Amino acid sequence: MTTTDRGRKRSLEVTGGPAQAAARSMLRAMGWTTEDLQLPQVGVGATWNRVTPCNMHLDELAVAAADELQSLRILPLLFHTISVSDGIAMGTEGMRASLPSRDWIADSVELVVHAERMDGLMTIAGCDKTLPGMMMAMIRLDLPSVFAYGGSIRPGCFRGRDVSIQDVYEAIGAQATGRMTLDELTELECVALPGKGSCASMYTANTMASVSEALGLTVPGMASPAAEEPAREAIVRRAAAALVDALENDRRPSSVLTKASFENAIAVAAALGGSTNACLHVPALAGEAGIEFGLADIDRISRRTPQIAEMRPAGRFMMQDLHVEGGVPVVMRELLDAGLLDGDAMTITGRTVGETLADVRRSADPRTPVLHTVAEPVKATG
């Protein structure tokens, strides 16, 4: 690849030559200049909406990513797609729409990127089915791509203790059985979720964000910063820079993903005590990559992998606790040192898992006991 094209292949179909004057005119109407139209074009697709707190800030992250891309002389084209909220739909007929939404997300992103002949793709997602949906689209399109997560919500505070949506669900049962008053339930409801972000425990969103790191489809450290932490925007910008490098080196999901990548993903999910929805989504991602990976593989890897993070809903701690101890890279380093990860698996950054984790160390003075060791795990199997 020459230094002049920098991955600009598909977009030339809409910007190159006299026959594309009308297409260029449409792009100029959005403020792009002649110089801009000489640049590679990258889609920045997000599941932004004002339907759920998980996604309500993704427009801000998309703008930050676009700003970073422009600074690196890439033309960003922003678009959004649908998402639905499991947390809101739970217990209603609406929940039947949740899993199908994953495939609609993947389909819609594929359509936009295919139609507009984009050279690369950055996806940004915030909750449950949106994360696998976006990663499915990346794998299916097989363009230089990177995934970014919107981050989780900070814990709420109820009568001096940290709480999350899990506490509200448990309180519903407590109120129904007379162990909590309706006033207490309402008080908890009003403070449990203080702002933007996905559910703070190791539910589907945080599990699949962690899986994205293990698969190598994002930059290390993507999963754990809270949605409203300054580190969240900083890491999204870092992911945008990684995408530029992938574009210039024609590094695609197909050059990264192997069966070992998916084995690493399940090992990390098991070590974290992650959501069983990984059993739905990881095989779907593997299917898009043309790699056979099913429940028997998940069972085999889970049996050999100890759970080493004590995360809610089964444990005591939330994503912010894992973040201050070093996030998913520290978990991966512990597994790598124990021979439970394949360090030769490649990542979208151009480095192997082993190279990525070479300088990662767990804190000698942890603030919380959220992280255990392989030698002394929370549970012997994931």
Side-chain angles (χ1 to χ4, degrees), residues 45 47 81 101-103 105-107 109-110 121-143 145-149 204-219 222-223 252-254 257 261-262 265 277-278 281-282 284-289 348:
T47 55
T81 187
S101 76
R102 181 193 71 182
D103 299 84
I105 290 163
D107 292 347
V109 172
E110 181 186 21
L121 175 63
M122 182 171 187
T123 61
I124 307 174
C127 67
D128 289 344
K129 308 308 182 290
T130 67
L131 282 81
M134 286 299 205
M135 286 187 272
M136 286 169 66
M138 289 167 53
I139 297 169
R140 188 184 300 173
L141 285 159
D142 199 31
L143 297 172
S145 307
V146 69
F147 173 76
Y149 178 42
T204 305
N206 281 327
T207 299
M208 293 308 297
S210 303
V211 160
S212 74
E213 289 195 42
L215 285 173
L217 292 178
T218 189
V219 294
M222 176 59 73
R252 304 161 181 254
S254 61
L257 297 174
S261 306
F262 291 97
N277 275 335
H281 302 316
V282 173
L285 296 173
E288 296 292 351
I348 205 68

Side-chain angles (χ1 to χ4, degrees), residues 6 39 42-44 62 64-77 122 237 239-241 243-244:
R6 301 177 64 227
L39 302 176
V42 163
V44 180
D67 178 67
E68 186 69 21
L69 288 167
Q70 276 191 270
S71 75
L72 297 170
R73 301 191 69 253
I74 299 291
L75 184 66
L77 300 173
M122 182 171 187
R237 287 179 176 272
L243 173 56
V244 176

Side-chain angles (χ1 to χ4, degrees), residues 304-322:
R304 77 182 187 207
T305 308
Q307 181 187 337
I308 60 172
E310 193 180 342
M311 305 281 288
R312 283 185 170 213
R316 295 175 290 166
F317 300 101
M318 294 189 234
M319 201 59 164
Q320 71 165 15
D321 300 302
L322 182 63

Side-chain angles (χ1 to χ4, degrees), residues 13 37 43 157 179 361:
E13 297 175 33
L37 296 178
C157 183
R179 292 179 289 115
R361 298 288 185 275

Side-chain angles (χ1 to χ4, degrees), residues 33-92:
T33 66
T34 298
E35 183 182 359
D36 293 330
L37 296 178
Q38 309 306 309
L39 302 176
Q41 296 185 11
V42 163
V44 180
T47 55
W48 172 82
N49 62 31
R50 290 277 173 171
V51 173
T52 166
C54 313
N55 299 291
M56 64 186 289
H57 61 300
L58 300 188
D59 56 337
E60 301 164 13
L61 294 180
V63 169
D67 178 67
E68 186 69 21
L69 288 167
Q70 276 191 270
S71 75
L72 297 170
R73 301 191 69 253
I74 299 291
L75 184 66
L77 300 173
L78 279 70
F79 64 96
H80 297 299
T81 187
I82 66 156
S83 69
V84 302
S85 170
D86 283 17
I88 295 172
M90 198 81 68
T92 74

